[in-house]
Amino acid sequence: MRRSPSRHTPVLRGPSWVSYWNLDRYVSRDRLALIAAVLVPTALCAILLPFRGSMANTNVALLLVVVVVAVAALGRRLAGALAAVVAALGFDFFFTRPYEQFAISKSADLTTAVLLLAVGLAVSQLAVRARQFRVLAITDAGYLAQIRDTAVLARSANSALTVVDQVRDQLVGLLQLRGCRFEYGSLLGHPPRLEHDGSVLVGHRLWDADRLGLPAEDVELRMFGNGKYIGRFMLEPTPGTVPSLQARLVAVTLADQAGAALDSLHRPVRAA
């Protein structure tokens, strides 16, 4: 029979984990990078403008490539591409004859401008790829830390309910939920369900969680111990969020850890 919520089953509305704070920080950097993609190459052209008679255009182009790389490292692919285009236009307008016109009279300058654009685009892609790997590393480290912490707690906690409470907190941050509660007992109703392969079922149909996120209604994540159903976490999704497949798989792993802890709580102790 379904147990009503107790002091062990409050609905939680808590902050995300540190890894999500880091990802939010990257989103803010993306906006800054788009602004920098326009302003920084333009500012560099203005700084170098008094020296265009004494500085070789190839050196100017190399400095602009450095700026493109810096912007791409700060933002995403769009920021890097925009910085490369602005740098190429600035080089054409300010440093090739006829000056202050989008025209190039010397074939050498034309080659330099084309190479500036091509190299800027290519190098920005490499910088963006390196940044993506760094984001993945931060995210993976956060996921592994949560699994490890729960495993340590399961071995040391005096009560399995302590493990359930921690997993419930972790699910809120991991899946960016509005709240989460744990329910003991028999299954009631037919809510959407997060499966052990990370997929989501609504009725008997597969839900496109990678594109749409979790359904708007509560989603159940069933918990098993030693192959037996014990209870379920009821997830309250936040509209507009799209938890990744990796996050959903980690959520299932955490639920399995909580299920194993509860199973050990109810398992009869054999006499020595």
Side-chain angles (χ1 to χ4, degrees):
M1 191 167 96
R2 179 180 173 183
R3 180 179 296 181
S4 59
S6 65
R7 66 185 179 88
H8 295 295
T9 58
V11 175
L12 296 182
R13 302 180 186 275
S16 298
W17 272 64
V18 173
S19 59
Y20 284 97
W21 179 84
N22 281 323
L23 293 177
D24 288 340
R25 183 180 62 179
Y26 278 121
V27 172
S28 299
R29 285 176 58 179
D30 289 338
R31 300 190 185 98
L32 178 62
L34 288 174
I35 299 174
V38 176
L39 296 183
V40 176
T42 304
L44 179 60
C45 288
I47 292 172
L48 297 178
L49 189 58
F51 307 100
R52 70 181 175 188
S54 57
M55 180 179 289
N57 280 356
T58 52
N59 292 335
V60 174
L62 287 174
L63 290 174
L64 287 171
V65 168
V66 172
V67 167
V68 172
V69 174
V71 171
L74 179 65
R76 292 186 184 272
R77 183 173 290 104
L78 177 60
L82 180 60
V85 171
V86 172
L89 292 176
F91 176 79
D92 178 9
F93 191 80
F94 292 110
F95 297 97
T96 65
R97 296 179 184 274
Y99 296 134
E100 282 79 48
Q101 296 183 37
F102 290 111
I104 300 177
S105 59
K106 295 176 61 176
S107 60
D109 286 340
L110 177 60
T111 301
T112 302
V114 172
L115 288 176
L116 168 61
L117 179 60
V119 172
L121 290 173
V123 175
S124 71
Q125 297 308 303
L126 295 176
V128 169
R129 183 63 60 86
R131 177 177 176 267
Q132 289 173 341
F133 286 148
R134 184 183 177 192
V135 172
L136 288 175
I138 290 173
T139 304
D140 290 345
Y143 291 159
L144 291 174
Q146 294 187 55
I147 295 173
R148 180 199 61 213
D149 292 346
T150 301
V152 170
L153 181 63
R155 290 194 299 267
S156 61
N158 296 324
S159 170
L161 293 177
T162 303
V163 180
V164 173
D165 288 341
Q166 172 160 309
V167 170
R168 187 180 51 202
D169 285 343
Q170 290 173 314
L171 292 176
V172 171
L174 183 66
L175 301 176
Q176 306 171 65
L177 305 174
R178 291 185 295 110
C180 178
R181 65 186 184 275
F182 176 70
E183 297 180 349
Y184 284 104
S186 302
L187 297 171
L188 296 177
H190 300 281
R193 183 170 68 253
L194 176 57
E195 295 285 89
H196 274 66
D197 61 357
S199 63
V200 177
L201 292 181
V202 178
H204 298 290
R205 294 180 301 174
L206 189 64
W207 177 266
D208 189 358
D210 292 323
R211 185 173 62 89
L212 303 174
L214 298 177
E217 57 189 300
D218 288 0
V219 177
E220 70 173 6
L221 172 55
R222 296 180 181 181
M223 205 169 68
F224 296 86
N226 198 27
K228 299 179 296 184
Y229 172 76
I230 295 177
R232 62 185 179 181
F233 289 102
M234 296 302 296
L235 315 175
E236 300 177 27
T238 301
T241 61
V242 183
S244 66
L245 174 60
Q246 188 178 18
R248 302 196 303 270
L249 289 172
V250 173
V252 170
T253 301
L254 293 173
D256 287 342
Q257 289 179 309
L262 276 179
D263 178 65
S264 65
L265 175 69
H266 296 294
R267 191 178 302 163
V269 179
R270 296 181 180 179

